[in-house]
């Protein structure tokens, strides 16, 4: 998130990070792969937000069995007919996109025992919801 905040390409973007500080969130994951997942979701959200209201919200929440990361933008949204396809390899609505970013994100999340879903409404933005299981030693507060 610190690196992303320094990217001048997104200078007009208002990005906010919210964290559930009531609990220590520890997931068992490959840090480099999860870093790439987060980076892809940040970039996609930022690209969309810059075509809409220019806001991106990232939140981390503690659930009973998993940590939840949400990436929400106020961009143009994803039409309903495309929402089931966004994680398919080579599917893209971007002029310069390859359609591999979200496919990689999905594969990595599943490989880590997690899930990722998308909620979107045309004209109201998109939210990607990433859930990763806790590290085995996680203790509820």
């Amino acid at each position: 998130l610190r690196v992303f905040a320094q990217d001048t390409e997104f200078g007009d973007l208002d990005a906010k990070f919210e964290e559930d500080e009531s609990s220590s969130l520890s997931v068992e994951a490959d840090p480099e792969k999860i870093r790439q997942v987060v980076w892809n979701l940040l970039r996609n959200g930022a690209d969309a937000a810059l075509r809409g209201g220019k806001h991106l919200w990232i939140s981390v929440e503690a659930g009973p069995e998993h940590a939840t990361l949400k990436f929400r933008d106020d961009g143009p949204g994803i039409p309903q007919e495309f929402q089931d396809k966004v994680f398919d390899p080579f599917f893209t609505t971007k002029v310069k996109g390859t359609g591999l970013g979200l496919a990689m994100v999905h594969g990595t999340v599943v490989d880590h025992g997690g899930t990722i879903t998308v909620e979107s409404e045309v004209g109201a933005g998109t939210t990607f919801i990433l859930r990763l299981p806790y590290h085995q030693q996680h203790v509820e507060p």
Side-chain angles (χ1 to χ4, degrees):
L1 290 169
R2 284 185 294 248
V3 171
F4 179 79
Q6 312 263 334
D7 193 327
T8 58
E9 182 179 346
F10 300 110
D12 292 338
L13 183 70
D14 181 20
K16 296 201 181 335
F17 177 69
E18 301 167 356
E19 182 178 11
D20 179 355
E21 296 180 13
S22 66
S23 171
S24 173
L25 302 177
S26 178
V27 298
E28 193 163 350
D30 180 321
E32 289 303 315
K33 289 184 179 180
I34 295 302
R35 188 174 291 118
Q36 188 63 50
V37 164
V38 170
W39 183 258
N40 281 356
L41 292 171
L42 286 171
R43 295 271 321 186
N44 281 2
D47 287 342
L50 289 176
R51 293 178 300 178
K54 299 188 179 178
H55 296 90
L56 180 63
W57 298 270
I58 304 98
S59 65
V60 178
E61 303 168 1
E65 298 177 12
H66 53 263
T68 301
L69 289 85
K70 293 182 181 178
F71 300 80
R72 181 170 62 97
D73 66 67
D74 59 357
I78 302 169
Q80 184 67 39
E81 64 268 21
F82 295 152
Q83 290 180 31
D84 290 339
K85 300 175 184 178
V86 296
F87 299 113
D88 292 351
F90 306 110
F91 176 81
T92 185
T93 58
K94 295 181 181 182
V95 174
K96 295 183 179 181
T98 63
L100 294 176
L102 288 176
M104 182 282 303
V105 163
H106 183 266
T108 300
V109 170
V110 169
D111 287 349
H112 282 82
T115 62
I116 185 164
T117 56
V118 62
E119 296 174 357
S120 189
E121 183 179 332
V122 173
T126 300
T127 303
F128 283 90
I129 304 166
L130 166 64
R131 291 181 177 92
L132 291 171
Y134 289 121
H135 186 272
Q136 291 180 348
Q137 295 179 354
H138 175 78
V139 176
E140 284 296 310

